[in-house]
């Protein structure tokens, strides 16, 4: 079953072709590398790793315009619901079911307070989109329990892995993260958006592929990666 994975820049994605338009971390309006504007993206569901401004982004504006359901960890979902947006509010380990698949919140080592001041725990997103298992690692440092995510039954087809350093793991730690997660395919994210997160994505690709871990696809913002 085909599915399209379009990188909108930074940590933002648009999943389509699998029965619903799903946005992840739609930081567009203040994203210098954004491939779309918040008033033009379709959305049935918006999935959030955490509420830092470069992930929460334009979530409330897009959900208000489209009527999309927002999935976020409970404290952040509760804040978002005060804007009149439909939310689902799992905590770590929780799974939310949809017609097109499901999303589970899994641990990520990071910190988070939303722009409005809501403290919450950041997450990774394990997503089954029309039969394709996609793991968005969120903003995380390298930690050994990344090994657990792909080991408990859901072979990961595609991992979306931060490599920019400073606010997340860097491209060197990300190579070991890929070894731990063991996905078939990888798209590097969260780099080159700002000077602090500039890195060499092609070098990351070479390191991962030379180690034989996974196939890496270095995209430009706006590019679409097809899952067969
Ligand atoms: Ni963050
Ligand atoms: Mn971030």
């Amino acid at each position: 079953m085909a599915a399209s994975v379009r990188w909108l820049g930074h940590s933002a994605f648009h999943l389509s072709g699998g029965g619903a338009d799903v946005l992840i971390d739609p930081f567009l309006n203040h994203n210098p590398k954004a491939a779309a504007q918040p008033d033009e993206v379709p959305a049935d569901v918006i999935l959030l790793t955490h509420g830092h401004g470069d992930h929460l982004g334009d979530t409330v504006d897009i959900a208000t315009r489209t009527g999309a359901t927002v999935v976020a960890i409970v404290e952040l979902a509760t804040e978002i619901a005060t804007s009149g947006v439909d939310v689902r509010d799992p905590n770590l380990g929780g799974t939310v079911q949809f017609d097109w698949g499901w999303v589970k919140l899994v641990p990520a080592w990071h910190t988070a307070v939303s722009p409005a001041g809501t403290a919450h725990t950041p997450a990774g997103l394990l997503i089954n989109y029309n039969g394709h298992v996609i793991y968005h690692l969120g903003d995380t440092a390298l930690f050994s329990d990344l090994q657990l995510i792909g080991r408990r039954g859901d072979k990961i087809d595609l991992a979306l892995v931060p490599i920019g350093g400073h606010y997340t793991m860097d491209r060197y730690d990300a190579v070991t993260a890929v070894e731990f997660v063991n996905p078939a395919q990888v798209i590097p994210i969260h780099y080159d958006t700002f000077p602090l997160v500039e890195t060499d994505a092609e070098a990351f690709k070479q390191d991962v592929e030379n180690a034989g871990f996974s196939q890496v696809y270095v995209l430009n913002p706006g590019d679409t990666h097809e899952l067969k």
Side-chain angles (χ1 to χ4, degrees):
M1 290 173 286
S4 297
V5 178
R6 186 177 185 225
W7 189 36
L8 300 179
H10 203 56
S11 279
F13 284 87
H14 175 199
L15 311 182
S16 64
D21 287 299
V22 177
L23 300 181
I24 306 169
D25 287 359
F27 166 54
L28 303 175
N29 195 24
H30 297 290
N31 176 354
K33 298 293 176 69
Q37 290 307 305
D39 60 1
E40 66 182 8
V41 287
D44 298 301
V45 175
I46 301 172
L47 310 177
L48 296 179
T49 61
H50 65 298
H52 277 156
D54 61 318
H55 298 261
L56 177 65
D58 306 288
T59 293
V60 170
D61 286 348
I62 295 168
T64 300
R65 175 177 58 81
T66 60
T69 296
V70 178
V71 180
I73 200 161
V74 55
E75 291 82 5
L76 180 60
T78 300
E79 177 197 304
I80 290 168
T82 64
S83 300
V85 169
D86 183 46
V87 302
R88 300 290 183 274
D89 64 350
N91 209 316
L92 294 175
T95 300
V96 178
Q97 301 279 348
F98 292 94
D99 291 344
W100 46 264
W102 46 259
V103 58
K104 175 193 278 193
L105 296 197
V106 299
W109 262 108
H110 191 60
T111 64
V113 176
S114 75
T118 303
H120 58 284
T121 299
L125 303 170
L126 188 66
I127 302 161
N128 183 320
Y129 182 70
N130 196 28
H132 301 278
V133 179
I134 301 169
Y135 178 21
H136 191 304
L137 274 67
D139 281 0
T140 190
L142 177 64
F143 63 113
S144 61
D145 282 356
L146 289 168
Q147 296 169 92
L148 299 176
I149 308 303
R151 266 192 197 165
R152 40 87 46 226
D154 302 303
K155 172 65 181 156
I156 294 164
D157 298 309
L158 174 64
L160 311 173
V161 179
I163 67 166
H166 194 80
Y167 298 113
T168 70
M169 59 190 173
D170 61 21
R171 71 175 178 87
Y172 305 101
D173 282 354
V175 175
T176 300
V178 170
E179 181 182 15
F180 284 171
V181 172
N182 192 30
Q185 302 180 345
V186 171
I187 295 173
I189 64 173
H190 212 278
Y191 69 96
D192 287 1
T193 320
F194 315 107
L196 274 173
V197 298
E198 283 176 3
T199 195
D200 187 341
E202 290 294 341
F204 166 75
K205 171 182 166 71
Q206 286 194 352
D207 289 346
V208 170
E209 293 184 351
N210 288 346
F213 294 152
S214 302
Q215 190 156 10
V216 179
Y217 297 85
V218 176
L219 304 185
N220 292 310
D223 286 353
T224 299
H225 179 72
E226 300 292 344
L227 294 175
K228 310 292 182 209

